[in-house]
Amino acid sequence: RAKADIARAVCFYERSMDEIVRARRNLASELREALEANQLDIHYQVQTSISTGEIRGYEALLRWEHPQRGFIAPAEFIPLAEENGLILQMGEWILRTACARAASWEPPYKVAVNLSPVQFVHTDLPKLVADVLAETGLAPERLELELTESTIFADRERSLYMLGQIKALGVNIALDDFGTGYSSLDTLRAFPFDKIKLDRSFMSEVESSPQAKAIIRAVLALGKSLDIPVLAEGIETHGQLALLTSEGCDEAQGYLLGRPAPLQQIITSGQLTLAGGDVSGQAVVTVR
Ligand code: C2E
Ligand code: MG
Ligand code: MG
Ligand code: MG
């Protein structure tokens, strides 16, 4: 009887594994179609200076609204795109689109674009970035590229070389999700980052866990001594913001300051206004 149960369980397991694999394959091909049909979208989330409250820029975040399934989170579809190489085409699309839009924002607002480790391995990134800047006319200092420690971990020599080339263009480099990856301190020593983004997992515990608070303090001290500004991700409450303010954090990003939203919505909310009063979203965009 136990044997039969196990056999049934194994059979069920194999069938469900099979279904998972098939579902993933379907989703991957639907993602390719969505990209080609121009159905992917970009939402923007504000990044704010803590001391002055000024807007520093916006992070561009990929969005996929599936016609049947509705919203699918990047955490679900980006790994798929990384597996099948689609991330290269997708990464190029978001970089080009985000830069083209930001080129018509009023300076000095920046646009931050996330890079996948796969792009570092399979793309001539410095050339792509240089080409996109030339095409769109965006000033290099208004572009910030975000990468995580896992990117550098994947191929250290190659990624550090590429980052050096990209930085030489005048583009900013931010270390994303700091504190969750490998060999954090060594990564900081090896490359002159323009910003450290402290992972939001610390923020969710900051008010309850002395350990999380101690780590935040230590990272802020590290940023100060290395002369690298620190941005706190995932600020959701006034308490968190007050704490980060009193600890001397430089910038903040999170639902409290603004949720990721379509550009048009940011414009309508008054954070962004269009030059000439055009509300079609196609015209020149001015950030105020
Ligand atoms: P990330 O780069 O660390 O982006 C920040 C994520 O935190 C976003 O999730 C954002 O919506 C979320 N977030 C912001 N503020 C808060 C908050 O106060 N509370 C909570 N709970 N979450 C907050 P999202 O948009 O789901 O993106 C997840 C990840 O997917 C990103 O993490 C990034 O690693 C990746 N991703 C998104 N767009 C792209 C892209 O264009 N290219 C690549 N390679 N990766 C991307
Ligand atoms: Mg990011
Ligand atoms: Mg992050
Ligand atoms: Mg993240």
Side-chain angles (χ1 to χ4, degrees), residues 59 146 176-177 197 199 233:
E59 177 172 5
E146 298 191 358
D176 204 354
D177 301 349
K197 298 188 73 178
D199 192 72
E233 296 189 275

PDB file of all heavy atoms in Angstrom, residues 59 146 176-177 197 199 233, ligand 3:
ATOM      1  N   GLU A  59      13.934  55.034 -11.821  1.00  0.00           N
ATOM      2  CA  GLU A  59      14.396  53.720 -12.256  1.00  0.00           C
ATOM      3  C   GLU A  59      13.384  53.140 -13.236  1.00  0.00           C
ATOM      4  O   GLU A  59      12.183  53.129 -12.959  1.00  0.00           O
ATOM      5  CB  GLU A  59      14.580  52.767 -11.066  1.00  0.00           C
ATOM      6  CG  GLU A  59      14.999  51.363 -11.522  1.00  0.00           C
ATOM      7  CD  GLU A  59      15.395  50.417 -10.384  1.00  0.00           C
ATOM      8  OE1 GLU A  59      15.268  50.787  -9.197  1.00  0.00           O
ATOM      9  OE2 GLU A  59      15.827  49.290 -10.723  1.00  0.00           O
ATOM     10  N   GLU A 146      22.336  49.859 -13.418  1.00  0.00           N
ATOM     11  CA  GLU A 146      22.299  49.125 -12.153  1.00  0.00           C
ATOM     12  C   GLU A 146      22.671  47.672 -12.397  1.00  0.00           C
ATOM     13  O   GLU A 146      22.138  47.034 -13.296  1.00  0.00           O
ATOM     14  CB  GLU A 146      20.896  49.193 -11.532  1.00  0.00           C
ATOM     15  CG  GLU A 146      20.460  50.602 -11.184  1.00  0.00           C
ATOM     16  CD  GLU A 146      19.195  50.616 -10.327  1.00  0.00           C
ATOM     17  OE1 GLU A 146      18.636  49.555 -10.034  1.00  0.00           O
ATOM     18  OE2 GLU A 146      18.775  51.744  -9.955  1.00  0.00           O
ATOM     19  N   ASP A 176      23.362  47.370  -7.243  1.00  0.00           N
ATOM     20  CA  ASP A 176      21.966  47.130  -6.837  1.00  0.00           C
ATOM     21  C   ASP A 176      21.895  46.018  -5.790  1.00  0.00           C
ATOM     22  O   ASP A 176      22.774  45.159  -5.730  1.00  0.00           O
ATOM     23  CB  ASP A 176      21.177  46.702  -8.088  1.00  0.00           C
ATOM     24  CG  ASP A 176      19.680  46.981  -7.982  1.00  0.00           C
ATOM     25  OD1 ASP A 176      19.218  47.394  -6.913  1.00  0.00           O
ATOM     26  OD2 ASP A 176      18.983  46.792  -8.998  1.00  0.00           O
ATOM     27  N   ASP A 177      20.848  46.039  -4.977  1.00  0.00           N
ATOM     28  CA  ASP A 177      20.557  44.962  -4.017  1.00  0.00           C
ATOM     29  C   ASP A 177      21.741  44.666  -3.100  1.00  0.00           C
ATOM     30  O   ASP A 177      22.005  43.503  -2.755  1.00  0.00           O
ATOM     31  CB  ASP A 177      20.161  43.663  -4.746  1.00  0.00           C
ATOM     32  CG  ASP A 177      18.947  43.843  -5.633  1.00  0.00           C
ATOM     33  OD1 ASP A 177      18.286  44.894  -5.526  1.00  0.00           O
ATOM     34  OD2 ASP A 177      18.659  42.932  -6.420  1.00  0.00           O
ATOM     35  N   LYS A 197      23.083  50.719  -3.747  1.00  0.00           N
ATOM     36  CA  LYS A 197      21.655  50.593  -3.419  1.00  0.00           C
ATOM     37  C   LYS A 197      21.497  49.474  -2.395  1.00  0.00           C
ATOM     38  O   LYS A 197      21.682  48.303  -2.696  1.00  0.00           O
ATOM     39  CB  LYS A 197      20.838  50.292  -4.682  1.00  0.00           C
ATOM     40  CG  LYS A 197      20.928  51.405  -5.730  1.00  0.00           C
ATOM     41  CD  LYS A 197      19.949  51.168  -6.874  1.00  0.00           C
ATOM     42  CE  LYS A 197      18.519  51.436  -6.447  1.00  0.00           C
ATOM     43  NZ  LYS A 197      17.557  51.252  -7.564  1.00  0.00           N
ATOM     44  N   ASP A 199      19.853  46.853  -0.248  1.00  0.00           N
ATOM     45  CA  ASP A 199      18.706  45.990  -0.552  1.00  0.00           C
ATOM     46  C   ASP A 199      17.518  46.228   0.372  1.00  0.00           C
ATOM     47  O   ASP A 199      17.681  46.475   1.570  1.00  0.00           O
ATOM     48  CB  ASP A 199      19.119  44.527  -0.488  1.00  0.00           C
ATOM     49  CG  ASP A 199      18.044  43.631  -1.084  1.00  0.00           C
ATOM     50  OD1 ASP A 199      17.908  43.657  -2.326  1.00  0.00           O
ATOM     51  OD2 ASP A 199      17.339  42.949  -0.319  1.00  0.00           O
ATOM     52  N   GLU A 233      16.673  51.195  -0.655  1.00  0.00           N
ATOM     53  CA  GLU A 233      15.553  50.674  -1.449  1.00  0.00           C
ATOM     54  C   GLU A 233      14.413  50.231  -0.535  1.00  0.00           C
ATOM     55  O   GLU A 233      14.647  49.840   0.607  1.00  0.00           O
ATOM     56  CB  GLU A 233      15.970  49.412  -2.215  1.00  0.00           C
ATOM     57  CG  GLU A 233      17.043  49.558  -3.253  1.00  0.00           C
ATOM     58  CD  GLU A 233      17.175  48.258  -4.052  1.00  0.00           C
ATOM     59  OE1 GLU A 233      17.887  47.354  -3.608  1.00  0.00           O
ATOM     60  OE2 GLU A 233      16.528  48.155  -5.103  1.00  0.00           O
TER      61      GLU A 233
HETATM   62 MG    MG B   3      17.351  46.642  -6.143  1.00  0.00          MG
END
